[in-house]
Amino acid sequence: MIMKDILAIHGGKPVRETYLPYGRQWIDEEDIKAVVDILKGDYLTTGPTIKAFEERIADYVHSKYAVAISNGTAALHAACFAAGIKEGDEVITTPMTFAASANCVLYQGATPIFADIDPKTYNLNVEAVERKITEKTKAIIPVDFTGQAVDLDKILKLAEKYGLIVIEDAAHALGTSYKGKKVGSISDMTTFSLHPVKHITTGEGGVITTNDETFYNQLRMFRTHGITRDARLLELKGQGAWYYEQLALGYNYRITDIQCALGMSQLGKLESFIQKRRDLVKQYHGSLASIDGIILPYESAFSDSSWHLYIVQLALEKFTVGRKEIFEALQAENIGVNVHYIPVYYHPYYQQLGYKKGLCPNAETLYENSITLPLFPMMEAQDVEDVVTAIKKVLNYYRKA
């Protein structure tokens, strides 16, 4: 008979003395100095550091333009505006994402249409997308889930076939390459998030990259109330340098020089952050592969994931309890597991709009069986071993005889 350790949730000693979160920012003295220098300077917002940060991001992803904005949700909203999405339009996206990927469509008065995911990559299934296209479809918002790029060639080919715009939600994928090209240089527009759990942070913040000058001008105007000082866009000529016009109903989605100074400093460390994530993932792979009842994430040949999230699936038929009990037991061991994501159309707000469960079976299965393990650059090898030890302890306890 196999001896089972008493779980912390039942009064046993936890694997860790301190709590290990699923994600965390890494701020060093260089970052702090960059912010302090701005605080001592002339511009706290709408100053030159924003433009410098945008140029650095554009250079990094090899796009012509980048627009920094207040957060990742604002980035998606701005992209939908620039794409001309409006009431009566439909936009296809994945349910396996944070709600912002669909909310941005609603902000423009349009309708989100959910297509199912590939059960291996967890990204949008291109065939499922095509089945959802109607005469009302205006755009596709694919999400590079966990940092692995969606099959962009297939998505873009589909968009060309039906005359659609591709807004790539790469909130998870700064630093990812698709077939040797940086994500951010490929789709019509690509949005990034700079939230603290992402690859780099500005506290809150986002970026949209594009190679299209018209989109670029629309994005810049939208983040500042729909107002422009660009003489090429103004309706009236011959005014003074003070002159500006509101050409559209935009929002105050501006980012600050304070945030962009942090972003500039963080960007210099991005490659080392990504390499650390990949090293930790390699350790996870090696340590978890032999555990019966765990399905490790699939890595596609065309994308070198920057690994925002490390998600495993549980073969729940092998255990005496469900995902909820396993999740709570791991939390009690001081392992900060999480779940990504509740399918968007499960939320009460979307249910009130008429969406029903059962729309996307693959996404729903992933949600019901998955757990996100801690992954962030400040983690050490021992932290990974603690996670693995806790998983073995909990799964052994609940494993069917």
Side-chain angles (χ1 to χ4, degrees):
M1 181 178 177
I2 299 174
M3 294 297 295
K4 298 181 178 182
D5 293 334
I6 300 174
L7 301 184
I9 201 168
H10 297 151
K13 182 180 179 181
V15 167
R16 287 177 60 91
E17 293 183 1
T18 58
Y19 185 75
L20 180 70
Y22 91 89
R24 191 180 190 279
Q25 72 277 6
W26 187 341
I27 303 296
D28 62 17
E29 291 300 320
E30 181 182 27
D31 299 326
I32 294 169
K33 182 179 184 303
V35 171
V36 170
D37 287 346
I38 293 297
L39 292 173
K40 292 179 178 179
D42 294 328
Y43 294 93
L44 299 187
T45 190
T46 63
T49 307
I50 297 169
K51 182 64 175 175
F53 180 57
E54 291 171 336
E55 290 174 349
R56 285 279 302 278
I57 288 283
D59 182 65
Y60 177 79
V61 303
H62 308 300
S63 68
K64 288 185 180 180
Y65 309 106
V67 177
I69 200 161
S70 56
N71 55 65
T73 302
L76 285 163
H77 187 189
C80 287
F81 170 84
I85 294 166
K86 62 187 184 304
E87 186 175 355
D89 291 336
E90 295 178 348
V91 178
I92 300 171
T93 191
T94 172
M96 191 46 56
T97 184
F98 186 62
S101 306
N103 288 350
C104 60
V105 178
L106 294 174
Y107 297 157
Q108 289 299 108
T111 301
I113 302 295
F114 296 104
D116 211 350
I117 63 170
D118 183 302
K120 287 170 55 178
T121 66
Y122 311 153
N123 278 326
L124 267 178
N125 179 288
V126 180
E127 290 73 25
V129 171
E130 186 164 21
R131 289 193 294 270
K132 298 283 186 173
I133 293 174
T134 71
E135 68 279 0
K136 295 180 179 181
T137 307
K138 184 67 174 284
I140 306 170
I141 302 180
V143 175
D144 299 322
F145 189 58
T146 74
Q148 180 167 235
V150 68
D151 194 335
L152 288 167
D153 283 349
K154 290 184 178 180
I155 289 285
L156 291 169
K157 184 177 180 180
L158 194 65
E160 183 179 9
K161 178 179 177 181
Y162 292 97
L164 307 177
I165 295 169
V166 176
I167 301 169
E168 184 181 355
D169 182 346
H172 295 184
L174 182 60
T176 292
S177 293
Y178 172 82
K179 296 184 178 179
K181 294 181 180 179
K182 285 290 187 188
V183 162
S185 65
I186 304 168
S187 297
D188 296 313
M189 287 177 276
T190 305
T191 67
F192 297 97
S193 169
L194 304 175
H195 183 274
V197 298
K198 301 301 196 301
H199 294 86
I200 63 170
T201 188
T202 54
E204 285 281 4
V207 178
I208 313 105
T209 60
T210 184
N211 293 317
D212 186 291
E213 186 176 10
T214 300
F215 286 153
Y216 172 63
N217 289 329
Q218 290 287 305
L219 293 165
R220 292 180 68 232
M221 183 173 61
F222 186 71
R223 74 172 173 190
T224 313
H225 303 279
I227 288 173
T228 184
R229 295 179 182 272
D230 189 334
R232 297 170 300 174
L233 303 178
L234 296 178
E235 296 178 0
L236 301 177
K237 309 298 179 184
Q239 300 289 344
W242 50 266
Y243 190 72
Y244 60 87
E245 289 180 348
Q246 181 179 342
L247 302 182
L249 182 61
Y251 287 72
N252 182 359
Y253 278 164
R254 293 181 301 228
I255 197 169
T256 68
D257 285 60
I258 300 168
Q259 292 168 287
C260 288
L262 176 57
M264 289 267 282
S265 180
Q266 288 263 298
L267 192 57
K269 296 180 274 284
L270 174 58
E271 287 300 316
S272 65
F273 287 168
I274 292 173
Q275 187 56 54
K276 184 62 182 296
R277 287 176 178 272
R278 289 173 176 159
D279 290 343
L280 294 167
V281 165
K282 185 177 180 180
Q283 186 182 351
Y284 267 137
H285 282 351
S287 298
L288 295 173
S290 62
I291 301 177
D292 187 33
I294 285 186
I295 302 168
L296 300 185
Y298 172 83
E299 297 179 79
S300 62
F302 52 70
S303 175
D304 63 344
S305 178
S306 54
W307 288 107
H308 166 51
L309 299 172
Y310 190 85
I311 295 175
V312 298
Q313 288 194 72
L314 301 171
L316 291 172
E317 70 277 4
K318 296 179 180 291
F319 305 103
T320 60
V321 296
R323 191 262 308 269
K324 177 179 181 290
E325 290 79 9
I326 292 172
F327 179 94
E328 292 172 347
L330 288 169
Q331 284 277 339
E333 301 292 341
N334 279 327
I335 304 300
V337 289
N338 209 325
V339 173
H340 295 88
Y341 288 97
I342 301 169
V344 175
Y345 58 78
Y346 273 28
H347 293 300
Y349 181 79
Y350 279 82
Q351 294 279 299
Q352 292 166 14
L353 294 177
Y355 296 88
K356 303 295 183 185
K357 293 182 180 181
L359 274 177
C360 300
N362 292 338
E364 295 179 16
T365 296
L366 175 62
Y367 165 62
E368 290 159 4
N369 296 330
S370 65
I371 286 183
T372 304
L373 305 185
L375 179 65
F376 54 95
M378 287 189 75
M379 285 176 62
E380 300 295 343
Q382 184 57 53
D383 295 320
V384 174
E385 287 307 306
D386 288 346
V387 176
V388 173
T389 298
I391 289 173
K392 289 179 177 178
K393 178 182 178 182
V394 170
L395 295 189
N396 178 56
Y397 187 89
Y398 289 127
R399 192 178 302 281
K400 290 180 179 178

